[in-house]
């Protein structure tokens, strides 16, 4: 019985391998001179200090890539790509029936051909994203490795140092506003040591709006949080002093 199962397993693997080789060879013939299919990119991430959540960061950066490789069936054959070319050949011969139309809509994938400009844009998107996370000095360089039928991009990500909050100062003409916010400072997203990031800023604006709306300022909007600014400390440029003002719907300066 065990021997039979082993034979079946080996047979299945041989069949899958044959399909992979067949589909790969049959899709490569559609490449024009100088074209390569995109394969998975590589990343090298470094920083001046220990990186927290490095794997999560790499995943987030990968979502910013403009080009994605065609999906593989069982990690081997690009079946969606192969089906795309197969269906295209049916169109040319006027043999596109309902089944092939369904394949084209659900399974087939457009070929992902390397476009170096897309790699440039991907690196730029990553740089912008890192700056929004508080890595204001971050740099992202790239390189493209081309083979006969495939190519991949390599991204060298240098985060350098994360800018963090040293102190936060809130001002408002309405002292009641300050008292309400001071009561819940422990829940602030702009605490000492937190990243000077766009995400933390947005979360803090939403938090303040909720506090004030729950305490009588029913018309308070996040745009009443004005003149948000930050300056590096005199001893460490990566430590930032945050200042912002809050006005209320009745404030004539608004």
């Amino acid at each position: 019985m065990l021997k039979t199962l082993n034979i079946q397993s080996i047979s299945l693997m041989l069949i899958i391998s044959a399909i992979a080789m067949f589909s790969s060879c049959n899709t490569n013939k559609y490449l024009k001179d100088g074209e390569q299919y995109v394969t998975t990119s590589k990343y090298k991430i470094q920083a001046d200090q220990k990186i927290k959540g490095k794997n999560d960061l790499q995943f987030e950066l990968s979502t910013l890539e403009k080009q994605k490789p065609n999906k593989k069936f069982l990690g081997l054959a690009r079946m969606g790509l192969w089906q795309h070319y197969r269906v295209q050949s049916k169109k040319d011969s006027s043999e596109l029936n309902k089944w092939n139309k369904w394949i084209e809509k659900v399974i087939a994938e457009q070929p992902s051909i390397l476009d170096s400009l897309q790699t440039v844009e991907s690196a730029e998107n990553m740089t912008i994203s890192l700056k929004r996370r508080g890595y204001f000095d971050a740099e992202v360089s790239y390189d493209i490795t081309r083979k006969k039928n495939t190519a991949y991009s390599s991204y060298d990500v240098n985060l350098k140092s994360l800018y963090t909050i040293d102190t936060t100062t809130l001002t408002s003409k309405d002292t009641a506003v300050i008292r309400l916010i001071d009561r819940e400072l422990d829940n602030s997203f702009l605490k000492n040591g937190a990243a000077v990031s766009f995400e933390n800023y947005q979360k803090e604006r939403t938090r303040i709006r909720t506090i004030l709306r729950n305490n009588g300022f029913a018309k308070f909007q996040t745009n009443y949080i004005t003149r948000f600014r930050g300056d590096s400390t005199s001893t460490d440029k990566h430590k930032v002093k945050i200042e912002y003002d809050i006005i209320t719907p009745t404030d004539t300066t608004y």
Side-chain angles (χ1 to χ4, degrees):
M1 179 67 176
L2 183 61
K3 185 176 180 180
T4 302
L5 289 174
N6 287 336
I7 293 174
Q8 290 176 343
S9 299
I10 293 172
S11 300
L12 179 60
M13 290 301 299
L14 289 173
I15 292 171
I16 292 173
S17 299
I19 292 173
M21 292 178 61
F22 174 76
S23 60
S24 296
C25 293
N26 273 267
T27 55
N28 289 340
K29 69 182 182 181
Y30 293 103
L31 288 169
K32 299 177 182 177
D33 289 341
E35 288 186 341
Q36 295 91 21
Y37 294 120
V38 172
T39 58
T40 304
S41 299
K42 297 183 178 181
Y43 286 84
K44 179 183 177 183
I45 303 177
Q46 57 186 336
D48 294 343
Q49 64 259 98
K50 185 177 180 180
I51 305 170
K52 295 181 179 179
K54 186 175 181 179
N55 291 336
D56 292 338
L57 176 61
Q58 179 173 320
F59 173 76
E60 289 180 24
L61 292 176
S62 70
T63 63
L64 300 174
E65 286 191 69
K66 301 285 287 185
Q67 285 190 292
K68 306 291 185 184
N70 290 110
K71 296 176 184 176
K72 289 186 176 182
F73 175 68
L74 297 179
L76 295 172
R78 298 184 181 89
M79 296 299 294
L81 178 61
W82 178 66
Q83 289 289 0
H84 164 79
Y85 288 122
R86 189 188 67 78
V87 171
Q88 290 300 309
S89 66
K90 296 294 183 181
K91 282 185 177 180
D92 296 338
S93 59
S94 302
E95 296 179 10
L96 194 63
N97 54 30
K98 289 183 178 180
W99 169 249
N100 286 321
K101 287 180 179 179
W102 180 84
I103 291 290
E104 181 180 37
K105 184 178 180 180
V106 178
I107 298 177
E109 291 183 350
Q110 292 287 332
S112 184
I113 307 295
L114 177 74
D115 179 351
S116 58
L117 290 178
Q118 302 258 25
T119 301
V120 175
E121 291 181 16
S122 296
E124 291 174 349
N125 289 344
M126 292 176 196
T127 303
I128 292 171
S129 176
L130 291 170
K131 291 181 184 296
R132 287 166 65 95
R133 292 172 67 101
Y135 294 101
F136 297 118
D137 300 324
E139 296 177 350
V140 180
S141 57
Y142 62 88
D143 187 40
I144 298 174
T145 302
R146 299 175 184 268
K147 298 182 179 181
K148 182 178 180 181
N149 298 312
T150 60
Y152 65 87
S153 300
S154 300
Y155 296 96
D156 192 346
V157 182
N158 189 349
L159 303 176
K160 298 191 177 179
S161 291
L162 177 67
Y163 283 69
T164 58
I165 295 172
D166 180 65
T167 58
T168 303
T169 303
L170 163 66
T171 60
S172 178
K173 290 183 178 180
D174 193 330
T175 56
V177 166
I178 296 179
R179 286 196 301 271
L180 287 169
I181 295 173
D182 282 349
R183 281 192 326 202
E184 299 189 34
L185 277 181
D186 289 344
N187 298 320
S188 174
F189 291 97
L190 302 180
K191 293 179 182 178
N192 179 287
V196 185
S197 68
F198 180 75
E199 181 182 10
N200 283 339
Y201 168 59
Q202 290 290 72
K203 286 181 177 179
E204 183 67 2
R205 293 179 75 197
T206 301
R207 188 185 75 87
I208 290 174
R209 181 185 63 184
T210 301
I211 291 172
L212 295 180
R213 283 190 172 186
N214 289 341
N215 287 274
F217 294 90
K219 296 182 180 181
F220 188 85
Q221 301 292 340
T222 54
N223 60 331
Y224 294 161
I225 303 171
T226 66
R227 295 196 294 175
F228 187 91
R229 54 203 176 275
D231 295 305
S232 296
T233 65
S234 57
T235 57
D236 186 349
K237 78 167 189 174
H238 302 115
K239 293 284 187 179
V240 181
K241 295 180 178 179
I242 300 295
E243 298 179 3
Y244 62 97
D245 303 329
I246 293 182
I247 61 176
T248 60
T250 57
D251 193 330
T252 55
T253 59
Y254 179 71

